[in-house]
Amino acid sequence: MNQLICKNFEEFKTHVGKPLPTGEWITVTQEMINAFAETTQDFQWVHVDVERAKKESPFKKTIAHGFLSISLLSKMLMDLVVVESAVMGVNYGLNKVRFPHPVPVDSRLRLHSSLQHIEPYAENGIKITWDCAVEIEGIEKPACVAEFISLLFEG
């Protein structure tokens, strides 16, 4: 796996404006979609009713919730970036979120991202703005594009 590994925040900050390694593929299964539906209580048939989706959906199969694709950003970024001095990370928010293309069940997704901005936060933290695009294998439009904001703290 390609990873950006930095010893500390100072080294990490030198990567602002640069693309990160491309993420590994993650397959979105029906089990993941069903678990997300259970957690969010969003049981719209286009997500969970396989037989109805085959007959009535323009995609001819179920599709993942848009918010499922965005919820994978934390994992995808953690897989790509390691700051060895960090002891904790926290999601802070999102800007400019869009879902340009639905994610059909059994699609493979991977992250393309870069560090847009890093600023100090509290005594021992930084606030990071990431540019993120979630690619769907074989589909031109991304599943999700967003500015993802997180906090990282050193011990």
Side-chain angles (χ1 to χ4, degrees):
M1 169 186 288
N2 254 345
Q3 281 187 317
L4 172 64
I5 300 174
C6 298
K7 292 187 186 322
N8 54 40
F9 287 175
E10 291 312 308
E11 182 181 349
F12 184 50
K13 290 175 186 177
T14 67
H15 295 276
V16 170
K18 299 175 185 174
L20 297 171
T22 300
E24 297 291 318
W25 291 108
I26 296 173
T27 301
V28 177
T29 65
Q30 189 62 51
E31 291 76 22
M32 288 172 68
I33 294 169
N34 292 348
F36 194 85
E38 284 288 333
T39 300
T40 62
Q41 298 294 291
D42 180 353
F43 296 104
Q44 187 180 154
W45 67 266
V46 74
H47 304 304
V48 297
D49 190 332
V50 174
E51 292 307 313
R52 186 174 177 188
K54 284 179 188 176
K55 295 174 189 167
E56 298 180 36
S57 168
F59 312 107
K60 300 302 177 198
K61 53 173 64 176
T62 57
I63 59 171
H65 304 72
F67 287 121
L68 189 154
S69 60
I70 204 154
S71 70
L72 290 171
L73 289 178
S74 292
K75 184 232 185 312
M76 292 173 158
L77 286 167
M78 284 179 25
D79 287 349
L80 287 182
V81 177
V82 175
V83 180
E84 293 173 340
S85 64
V87 294
M88 181 179 71
V90 178
N91 295 337
Y92 187 84
L94 298 156
N95 294 328
K96 303 178 186 177
V97 178
R98 298 291 181 269
F99 305 107
H101 198 283
V103 176
V105 66
D106 298 323
S107 293
R108 292 189 340 144
L109 305 179
R110 69 179 173 181
L111 180 63
H112 297 269
S113 60
S114 64
L115 288 170
Q116 182 184 43
H117 184 72
I118 298 176
E119 63 187 82
Y121 185 87
E123 213 175 283
N124 61 338
I126 54 175
K127 184 177 1 173
I128 308 156
T129 303
W130 316 79
D131 278 324
C132 297
V134 178
E135 173 188 4
I136 309 168
E137 185 177 38
I139 297 176
E140 187 175 329
K141 289 184 178 181
C144 172
V145 292
E147 286 181 3
F148 181 75
I149 304 164
S150 63
L151 305 176
L152 205 56
F153 296 91
E154 285 182 313

